[in-house]
């Protein structure tokens, strides 16, 4: 499978480069700057990412590129451009006018293959304090901005280009054109990495790897585990055993409705109602982190008990996706997080792990799911926290509090669907607050619970802004919750962004 290799120097935009390349129907991999896979015949080109470092820092990353330059088409971005310039004998130094954010190119060499189709005065996104002060003789400038003379260049007589701006960022209006020129024209990629081709190759690989063994998979109702299950089912059918655990903290009727949807997909699935077990373990616990640990440990215990009832289980399948696996900060020795969804089980149960979605970003998972025929409501489902409503009930958890929250949340989420707002929001949910307030219903004074509605806009969950839902919609939802949910007499709407607030309240 032909691929583009992205060598990561620690930039916050590295994953975005990969997503843009994938959107061009071309497979790519992100690797640490010093881990180039020499000898891989499928590599069609290489991209050097940006970095939080200056090339003049004592601890800057400076790999040996002698076996890459001239051997593969190469594109340096920001730090990558400055490092290539310095490596050839050029001078990089602090800019007298730093450029951050939007800028416009003042000169574009339209005949250059990398910039073909990019108009003069194209808007680009800059993010650098250093700049290239002097280029080596065989480096040819192909673009400039008002403030930056060397905005892009080509190294003559070798397939190497570089840009000091970020074509991968949405605000670079012709960034996709630049990346397409690199992938399609310079690297000669066929651009045939499609959902259908991924499904075909993955099914074949799964069959070869698993053979006649049985596989167990814990379903959550989320997009990733669902698509992983359907893909595995296409490959090995009844050898896949799915377990769907109801921890009592799912949304209203979710256990029965999702279980039924899974069965219509032909999955070999067992539903386990362990809600009382979780309620007992959580009784009186108010600390958010303790609640998370109890819920996580409880799931592992239930899952292990059910998995041990099955025969010849050799594999544990997980819905791990590509961002979970990328360890961008590992180049500095830092670990971002453990990506295993069910920690500890493989060692305890002597199972091997299989991750059929490990190459995909979230948007790609949804496209694969659509190609596999997964119902739209499952594919488009908003992110939902692993501990479920356990972290949306502030304070201790009781069955009655769960009932109240499920009823209120169902009104909110169904309202989003009914008013064509669900797909316009990245994540939405209802929070049961640990306070009661005075109200009046009829001629009687009430002293009941308050709930908060939360809806945000985001692309990756790292940052988020509150969704500006129509006032009329919020008024209708508020009125319905107060009138229909016994125990609630006040509804508020959370208008906090992330940062400084988080998306979830716990």
């Amino acid at each position: 499978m032909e691929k583009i290799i992205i060598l990561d120097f620690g930039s916050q935009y590295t994953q975005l480069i990969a997503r843009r390349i994938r959107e061009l129907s071309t497979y790519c991999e992100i690797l640490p700057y010093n881990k180039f896979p020499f000898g891989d015949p499928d590599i069609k080109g290489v991209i050097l990412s940006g970095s939080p470092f200056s090339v003049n820092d004592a601890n800057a990353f400076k790999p040996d590129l002698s076996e890459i330059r001239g051997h593969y088409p190469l594109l340096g971005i920001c730090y990558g451009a400055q490092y290539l310039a310095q490596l050839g004998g050029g001078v990089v130094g602090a800019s007298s006018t730093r450029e951050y954010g939007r800028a416009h190119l003042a000169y574009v060499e339209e005949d250059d293959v990398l910039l073909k189709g990019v108009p003069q005065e194209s808007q680009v996104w800059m993010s650098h304090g250093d700049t290239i002060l002097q280029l080596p003789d065989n480096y040819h400038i192909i673009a400039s901005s008002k403030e930056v003379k060397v905005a892009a260049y080509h190294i003559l007589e070798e397939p190497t280009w570089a840009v000091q701006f970020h074509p991968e960022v949405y605000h670079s209006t012709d960034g996709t054109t630049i990346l397409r020129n690199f992938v399609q024209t310079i690297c000669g990629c066929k651009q045939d990495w499609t959902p259908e081709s991924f499904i075909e190759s993955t099914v074949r690989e799964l069959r070869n790897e698993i053979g006649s063994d049985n596989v167990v998979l814990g379903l959550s109702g989320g997009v990733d585990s669902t698509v992983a299950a359907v893909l595995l089912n296409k490959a090995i059918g009844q050898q896949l055993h799915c377990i769907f655990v109801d921890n009592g903290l799912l949304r209203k009727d979710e256990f029965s409705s999702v279980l039924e949807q899974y069965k219509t997909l032909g999955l070999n699935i067992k539903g386990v109602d362990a809600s009382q077990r979780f309620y007992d373990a959580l009784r009186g616990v108010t600390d958010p982190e303790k609640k998370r640990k109890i819920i996580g440990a409880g799931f592992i215990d239930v899952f292990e008990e059910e998995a041990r009832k099955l025969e010849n289980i050799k594999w544990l399948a997980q819905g791990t996706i590509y961002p979970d696996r990328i360890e961008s900060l590992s180049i500095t020795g830092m670990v971002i997080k453990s990506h295993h969804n069910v920690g500890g089980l493989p060692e305890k149960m002597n199972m091997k792990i299989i991750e059929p979605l490990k190459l995909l970003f979230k948007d790609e998972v949804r496209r694969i799911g659509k190609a596999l025929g997964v119902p739209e409501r499952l594919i488009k489902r908003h992110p939902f926290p692993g501990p479920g409503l356990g972290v949306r009930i502030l304070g201790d958890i009781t069955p009655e509090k769960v009932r109240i929250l499920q009823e209120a949340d169902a009104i909110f989420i169904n309202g989003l669907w009914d008013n064509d707002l669900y797909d316009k929001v990245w994540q939405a949910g209802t929070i049961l607050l640990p306070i009661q307030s005075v109200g009046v219903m009829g001629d009687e004074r009430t002293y009941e619970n308050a709930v908060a509605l939360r809806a945000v806009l985001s692309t990756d969950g790292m940052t988020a802004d509150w969704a500006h839902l129509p006032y009329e919609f919020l008024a209708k939802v508020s009125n319905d919750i107060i009138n229909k949910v016994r125990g609630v007499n006040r509804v508020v709407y959370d208008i906090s962004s992330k940062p400084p607030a988080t998306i979830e309240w716990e």
Side-chain angles (χ1 to χ4, degrees):
M1 177 172 59
E2 63 181 24
K3 68 184 72 170
I4 300 293
I5 295 296
I6 301 171
L7 293 182
D8 181 24
F9 290 83
S11 170
Q12 62 178 322
Y13 297 132
T14 302
Q15 285 197 37
L16 191 53
I17 300 173
R19 292 183 66 174
R20 294 290 177 261
I21 299 299
R22 299 280 189 90
E23 288 169 1
L24 295 171
S25 300
T26 303
Y27 178 65
C28 64
E29 290 183 7
I30 298 174
L31 298 174
Y33 72 97
N34 56 353
K35 301 294 183 182
F36 189 80
F38 292 105
D40 186 339
D42 295 324
I43 298 173
K44 301 289 287 184
V46 183
I47 295 176
L48 308 181
S49 83
S51 175
F53 295 105
S54 162
V55 294
N56 295 316
D57 289 346
N59 57 346
F61 302 131
K62 296 186 176 182
D64 180 2
L65 300 179
S66 60
E67 296 300 315
I68 297 176
R69 275 187 57 185
H71 298 273
Y72 302 93
L74 182 61
L75 174 63
I77 294 177
C78 197
Y79 177 95
Q82 294 169 2
Y83 178 54
L84 283 168
Q86 187 185 70
L87 197 62
V91 178
V92 177
S95 174
S96 58
T97 304
R98 297 186 299 173
E99 280 198 321
Y100 292 97
R102 292 178 179 85
H104 289 84
L105 299 180
Y107 162 73
V108 175
E109 186 170 305
E110 296 175 337
D111 291 337
D112 184 84
V113 64
L114 182 70
L115 301 183
K116 186 175 179 60
V118 176
Q120 302 291 335
E121 300 185 2
S122 176
Q123 178 179 286
V124 295
W125 186 263
M126 297 283 190
S127 182
H128 58 88
D130 286 350
T131 192
I132 299 170
L133 301 175
Q134 181 180 334
L135 281 175
D137 291 340
N138 62 327
Y139 287 46
H140 174 63
I141 296 174
I142 57 175
S144 304
S145 73
K146 182 178 180 181
E147 303 294 342
V148 176
K149 182 179 180 181
V150 186
Y153 63 82
H154 173 215
I155 301 180
L156 301 177
E157 299 182 358
E158 72 175 74
T160 301
W161 285 259
V163 295
Q164 282 209 84
F165 53 88
H166 289 271
E168 72 275 17
V169 173
Y170 172 79
H171 300 291
S172 290
T173 53
D174 298 286
T176 298
T177 298
I178 293 171
L179 293 175
R180 181 184 293 111
N181 288 339
F182 179 71
V183 167
Q184 185 181 71
T185 307
I186 295 174
C187 297
C189 293
K190 299 175 184 176
Q191 295 180 271
D192 57 1
W193 198 68
T194 63
E196 291 73 21
S197 67
F198 173 83
I199 292 169
E200 180 182 354
S201 62
T202 303
V203 165
R204 182 171 58 250
E205 291 167 5
L206 289 171
R207 286 172 178 165
N208 291 336
E209 189 170 11
I210 296 169
S212 60
D213 295 340
N214 284 338
V215 180
V216 66
L217 168 65
L219 285 167
S220 67
V223 177
D224 300 337
S225 66
T226 298
V227 174
V230 175
L231 189 58
L232 278 160
N233 184 60
K234 184 177 179 66
I236 61 174
Q238 295 300 298
Q239 292 170 239
L240 173 66
H241 301 266
C242 301
I243 299 172
F244 185 32
V245 178
D246 181 5
N247 60 8
L249 302 169
L250 301 175
R251 283 180 154 139
K252 183 182 179 182
D253 299 328
E254 187 171 35
F255 181 62
S256 57
S257 63
V258 173
L259 194 60
E260 186 59 35
Q261 284 182 302
Y262 280 149
K263 289 179 179 177
T264 62
L265 289 170
L267 297 181
N268 179 16
I269 183 169
K270 179 179 181 180
V272 181
D273 183 356
S275 54
Q276 191 58 51
R277 178 171 178 169
F278 282 84
Y279 292 153
D280 291 342
L282 289 164
R283 186 178 294 118
V285 178
T286 60
D287 179 79
E289 189 60 25
K290 287 183 180 179
K291 287 196 289 186
R292 288 178 180 273
K293 289 181 178 179
I294 289 170
I295 295 167
F299 175 82
I300 289 176
D301 290 342
V302 174
F303 184 85
E304 182 184 6
E305 289 171 11
E306 295 299 324
R308 287 192 180 281
K309 297 176 184 177
L310 303 171
E311 296 181 358
N312 191 35
I313 299 294
K314 301 291 181 66
W315 300 85
L316 170 68
Q318 296 186 154
T320 311
I321 63 176
Y322 198 46
D324 298 328
R325 296 172 56 85
I326 298 171
E327 298 174 344
S328 297
L329 294 182
S330 65
I331 57 178
T332 63
M334 297 172 63
V335 177
I336 299 172
K337 64 177 181 177
S338 171
H339 69 265
H340 286 157
N341 300 321
V342 187
L345 278 174
E347 292 79 7
K348 292 171 67 175
M349 302 180 67
N350 194 30
M351 290 188 292
K352 294 177 285 186
I353 290 177
I354 193 157
E355 299 166 317
L357 307 181
K358 64 185 178 182
L359 302 179
L360 304 180
F361 288 102
K362 177 72 77 173
D363 53 339
E364 294 172 324
V365 173
R366 289 193 167 99
R367 289 201 293 272
I368 297 298
K370 184 177 181 180
L372 287 167
V374 177
E376 188 176 73
R377 281 237 176 180
L378 287 175
I379 292 176
K380 293 185 175 181
R381 189 173 187 260
H382 290 169
F384 190 63
L389 300 182
V391 291
R392 292 182 179 175
I393 297 174
L394 307 193
D396 66 319
I397 297 170
T398 67
E400 175 62 9
K401 289 182 178 180
V402 172
R403 179 199 67 79
I404 291 172
L405 183 54
Q406 285 178 332
E407 295 284 349
D409 184 72
I411 291 172
F412 183 33
I413 298 302
N414 289 335
L416 290 171
W417 278 108
D418 294 342
N419 290 272
D420 296 323
L421 293 170
Y422 189 88
D423 292 341
K424 298 176 183 178
V425 172
W426 191 76
Q427 184 172 348
T430 309
I431 300 93
L432 181 62
L433 306 181
I435 57 174
Q436 291 183 310
S437 68
V438 174
V440 177
M441 291 184 176
D443 294 325
E444 297 184 4
R445 175 185 184 276
T446 62
Y447 191 60
E448 295 182 333
N449 297 282
V451 298
L453 308 180
R454 180 75 157 140
V456 299
L457 308 176
S458 183
T459 56
D460 54 15
M462 299 301 293
T463 61
D465 194 12
W466 61 281
H468 294 227
L469 297 177
Y471 292 153
E472 296 80 5
F473 169 77
L474 291 173
K476 177 74 164 55
V477 168
S478 174
N479 190 60
D480 286 348
I481 289 175
I482 292 172
N483 286 336
K484 297 177 181 179
V485 181
R486 178 172 45 85
V488 175
N489 68 354
R490 190 175 299 272
V491 176
V492 299
Y493 188 53
D494 183 348
I495 60 171
S496 309
S497 62
K498 177 188 179 182
T502 53
I503 295 176
E504 298 294 342
W505 282 42
E506 285 193 342

